Amino acid sequence: MKALVVYPNRELLYAASTLGGEVAALVFSEREAEAVKGVAHRALVAEVDPRLPDAVAEAVVKAAQSYQVVLLPSTKNGKTVGGLVAQRLGAEFLTDVLSLRVEGGVLKAERYVFGNKAVAAVEAAPPVVVTVAPGRFQGQPPAVQTAVEKVALQVGSKMKIVSVEEKARGAVKLEEAEIIVSVGRGFKKKEDLQMAFELARVLGGQVGCSRPIAADLKWLPEEHWVGLSGKKVKPKLYLAIGISGQPQHIAGILDSRIIAAINNDPSAPIFQNADYGVVEDLYKIVPILINKLSKTKG
Amino acid sequence: MKVAVLVKTALDTGQLRVRDTVATEETPLKISDIDRNAIEEAVKQKGQDKAYAVTVLKWGPLQKKAQEAENVLREALAMGLDEAYLVADERLLNASHMATAKALAAVVKKVGADIVLAGEATVDNYTGQMPARVAAELGWPVVTYVRELKVEGGRLIARRDLEDHVEVVEVQLPAVVSVTREINQPRIPTLLAIRAAMKKPVNRLTLADLGVEVAPRIAAAYKPLVIQRKKVVIKDGTPEEKAEKLIQYLRQEGVI
Ligand SMILES: Cc1cc2nc3c(=O)[nH]c(=O)nc-3n(C[C@H](O)[C@H](O)[C@H](O)COP(=O)(O)OP(=O)(O)OC[C@H]3O[C@@H](n4cnc5c(N)ncnc54)[C@H](O)[C@@H]3O)c2cc1C
């Protein structure tokens, strides 16, 4: 199937290449066109502000006529553009797909549903709009010749961006972390999180958190937030400390290799979703873990 | 300001009935959590005008679920909405999102609104596509992932919560807005409000009433996600011994 990739990145281009047809990348500047040279058959340059979903959607609808699939990243603007485009094209919109293949002229995909308690196998006839769950399509798009073309367009946006504020950000890249020490409401005060940071340091990992820690208490910036509405992570080890293990949290950690949990409540649901659980007060056990691990690690 | 709220009568995923497959027909419905924030915002914004709930019933069996959906909508009414519209039609069960958006937009057109509010995504499917689809259908601007909203003189100013930054944007009304959970604290209706809601109108509509045609283009099959975890729980011993055991296990797994 011929695919149009919007906001292209390597993963999307690879996913598109597996569909077996021509791959075009819709980009918003010459510089971005340069970046897809050699990995897409066509680079379509539309001169619109990529931050404006309605303007981007306009460009996509214009470019999409000769493509059966539109692929977007699973970002907030990606989904907004996807929704607009899908309705205008009369297309289905499959979000956060885990897999993707073409069979008998139909696109088949899987995605998590029902608070990540089930997997849906969905089939849709083209045209189809798709966003891809990050980290699911690992591979290199094949090397191809790229033709660069302009998409002629006269679009205004109904939305005006008045200002942009950066969110507080550290060097956290939870999606890439091998070890995550994650904290929940079991921690009584913000200062106590230091323990988790210390444990993460001796383990060579990063610190994650449940939603209330970032959203309600604001003890940590949102980049630490793991779950359905937060980051999806896939570390070797996910150590959940003082986290109850509600489905919305579990939704973010399904792909972890090993899940370990510390919770003083033996009936906490996290134990049903963990490989190793310790029933203990975190205030007692975390200092001991730090101590023991820092000794052996030197 | 006349407000329409898209309230999804969603499957209560906390009570998902699972056998070899997912028994959606046995799983109860509830208000999709984030839609409560949209309802709360509607009640705040409506002023002297009316705010109404619109839902398309996606899950069957139709008769049983339509009754359940009515009860769910009563909750939205108890939170302060004035009237509810339930589109219950066999052809919309498990239907495409495109058809759902057409039906939702048709109700909005029928009743009229200055602003359509919705949650950023629904708890059962979590695709987050409906606000943009409804906006496209209505030809209105869409502002998604809003955590703060202000309306003045026909203009809407919103703070959009994106991945790494917050964007302050402006559009003219009418517009479709999706909200995040951070926008407000949804109220818990009082007993009095719950009683009053029993008297508010819940209107049932079909596709024929709305003049909407739909053609199915999607099929979905659900299977439970079986999580295979070892579930080894360390309960006995001193904190010291437990810590030692945990470290041992994690070493054996080769993860530390
Ligand atoms: C639509 C929607 C989206 C959501 N998205 C997310 C999301 O992305 N991520 C997310 O995390 N949540 C999300 N949630 C919220 C989720 O449902 C839970 O409310 C949240 O995960 C609970 O966080 P918690 O485990 O830290 O807190 P709690 O549920 O309060 O759990 C605290 C735990 O700490 C334990 N504890 C207390 N004291 C100690 C101690 N001294 N030592 C050891 N253990 C202790 C308790 O036994 C308890 O199990 C979402 C909810 C909805 C409705």
Side-chain angles (χ1 to χ4, degrees):
Chain A
M1 265 183 203
K2 288 171 77 177
L4 177 69
V5 179
V6 188
Y7 299 121
N9 59 39
R10 210 150 267 273
E11 188 165 17
L12 282 173
L13 290 166
Y14 171 68
S17 75
T18 65
L19 301 176
E22 181 193 303
V23 175
L26 183 69
V27 294
F28 307 102
S29 66
E30 297 292 342
R31 193 174 50 79
E32 286 178 333
E34 209 46 52
V36 298
K37 275 212 178 130
V39 282
H41 297 94
R42 295 165 78 190
L44 306 172
V45 189
E47 277 170 7
V48 299
D49 184 342
R51 300 174 306 167
L52 297 168
D54 57 348
V56 174
E58 196 65 44
V60 178
V61 168
K62 171 128 202 211
Q65 302 305 336
S66 43
Y67 297 90
Q68 282 118 29
V69 188
V70 175
L71 281 152
L72 293 138
S74 281
T75 57
K76 292 177 178 177
N77 274 341
K79 288 186 180 173
T80 309
V81 170
L84 291 169
V85 167
Q87 195 67 17
R88 301 235 338 242
L89 295 177
E92 279 315 314
F93 181 17
L94 315 177
T95 58
D96 298 293
V97 304
L98 309 166
S99 68
L100 205 56
R101 69 200 157 87
V102 179
E103 216 180 278
V106 183
L107 202 69
K108 299 193 171 187
E110 287 175 299
R111 59 185 305 273
Y112 291 133
V113 288
F114 308 150
N116 287 39
K117 287 182 164 177
V119 179
V122 279
E123 296 182 17
V128 186
V129 182
V130 175
T131 77
V132 169
R136 282 287 170 166
F137 294 82
Q138 306 280 7
Q140 287 300 326
V144 291
Q145 283 280 354
T146 308
V148 179
E149 296 157 43
K150 273 212 153 96
V151 182
L153 212 59
Q154 276 296 322
V155 287
S157 172
K158 289 181 178 157
M159 188 166 92
K160 192 174 111 198
I161 298 174
V162 180
S163 62
V164 176
E165 300 154 22
E166 292 302 317
K167 284 187 188 172
R169 254 175 101 176
V172 194
K173 281 235 163 61
L174 282 188
E175 294 95 329
E176 291 162 23
E178 295 244 300
I179 293 182
I180 297 175
V181 174
S182 207
V183 299
R185 299 220 47 170
F187 285 79
K188 305 279 174 292
K189 307 197 294 296
K190 185 178 176 184
E191 295 72 56
D192 302 342
L193 299 184
Q194 274 322 313
M195 279 195 290
F197 277 93
E198 185 57 23
L199 184 56
R201 197 186 57 78
V202 299
L203 286 170
Q206 309 247 21
V207 172
C209 70
S210 66
R211 183 181 186 281
I213 299 292
D216 305 332
L217 300 167
K218 302 203 190 312
W219 287 352
L220 286 176
E222 287 167 19
E223 58 186 341
H224 294 268
W225 169 349
V226 174
L228 184 65
S229 44
K231 298 263 166 70
K232 313 281 181 293
V233 298
K234 45 177 175 23
K236 274 194 318 200
L237 171 63
Y238 189 84
L239 177 56
I241 308 178
I243 293 178
S244 58
Q246 295 307 313
Q248 295 89 356
H249 188 80
I250 302 300
I253 63 174
L254 288 171
D255 294 330
S256 306
R257 185 144 85 70
I258 294 289
I259 297 176
I262 296 170
N263 198 303
N264 59 4
D265 173 5
S267 61
I270 189 80
F271 291 128
Q272 293 307 309
N273 287 290
D275 297 290
Y276 300 99
V278 185
V279 182
E280 186 53 80
D281 183 348
L282 72 93
Y283 284 89
K284 292 199 185 128
I285 194 168
V286 174
I288 301 174
L289 285 170
I290 295 170
N291 192 3
K292 284 186 187 294
L293 288 164
S294 55
K295 271 195 201 127
T296 52
K297 292 232 161 180
Chain B
M1 195 165 55
K2 202 163 172 190
V3 187
V5 190
L6 310 182
V7 176
K8 176 142 188 204
T9 43
L11 290 181
D12 184 347
T13 58
Q15 299 192 54
L16 202 66
R17 304 286 155 80
V18 173
R19 290 192 299 264
D20 336 338
T21 64
V22 180
T24 55
E25 66 290 347
E26 290 167 27
T27 303
L29 299 179
K30 71 161 185 176
I31 296 181
S32 179
D33 298 58
I34 314 173
D35 294 352
R36 285 183 191 279
N37 300 82
I39 296 168
E40 178 65 35
E41 203 58 24
V43 174
K44 276 193 194 155
Q45 299 279 348
K46 71 172 182 164
Q48 302 302 309
D49 288 334
K50 291 209 160 155
Y52 56 94
V54 187
T55 199
V56 165
L57 189 60
K58 299 281 285 181
W59 307 106
L62 192 70
Q63 280 318 317
K64 178 176 159 229
K65 291 286 179 197
Q67 195 49 52
E68 241 185 283
E70 270 200 39
N71 299 339
V72 171
L73 288 169
R74 294 269 173 224
E75 250 183 274
L77 295 172
M79 285 180 72
L81 300 185
D82 300 287
E83 195 167 346
Y85 292 85
L86 166 63
V87 187
D89 194 302
E90 202 70 55
R91 283 179 299 162
L92 286 170
L93 299 184
N94 265 316
S96 75
H97 292 92
M98 187 191 15
T100 308
K102 277 189 192 297
L104 288 168
V107 179
V108 173
K109 273 188 231 160
K110 188 183 167 87
V111 196
D114 305 301
I115 182 168
V116 172
L117 291 171
E120 63 169 281
T122 57
V123 289
D124 48 1
N125 259 327
Y126 217 76
T127 76
Q129 58 183 282
M130 209 42 80
R133 280 189 182 268
V134 170
E137 199 60 37
L138 291 168
W140 295 2
V142 63
V143 188
T144 47
Y145 306 97
V146 169
R147 62 151 63 164
E148 226 180 286
L149 183 64
K150 215 166 62 191
V151 178
E152 37 178 56
R155 283 182 325 158
L156 182 156
I157 297 147
R159 290 167 70 84
R160 297 184 71 210
D161 188 355
L162 299 176
E163 281 83 0
D164 320 318
H165 56 271
V166 175
E167 227 176 57
V168 181
V169 303
E170 200 184 295
V171 296
Q172 296 291 326
L173 292 178
V176 178
V177 173
S178 82
V179 305
T180 70
R181 281 163 61 97
E182 284 71 40
I183 193 165
N184 56 35
Q185 186 67 47
R187 73 192 62 196
I188 296 164
T190 60
L191 209 57
L192 206 67
I194 294 170
R195 279 219 198 96
M198 297 312 288
K199 298 200 192 73
K200 294 182 182 175
V202 176
N203 310 290
R204 278 202 205 183
L205 299 167
T206 62
L207 287 176
D209 296 330
L210 294 168
V212 171
E213 270 307 311
V214 303
R217 306 169 41 86
I218 189 161
Y222 305 105
K223 58 172 197 281
L225 180 65
V226 185
I227 301 175
Q228 300 291 3
R229 292 287 172 194
K230 300 195 172 86
K231 298 182 196 172
V232 175
V233 179
I234 307 164
K235 283 199 283 273
D236 305 318
T238 62
E240 185 83 20
E241 288 161 356
K242 289 177 185 170
E244 198 53 59
K245 248 197 186 139
L246 178 64
I247 292 172
Q248 225 174 50
Y249 279 127
L250 298 181
R251 287 237 164 87
Q252 270 167 21
E253 294 283 356
V255 292
I256 59 170

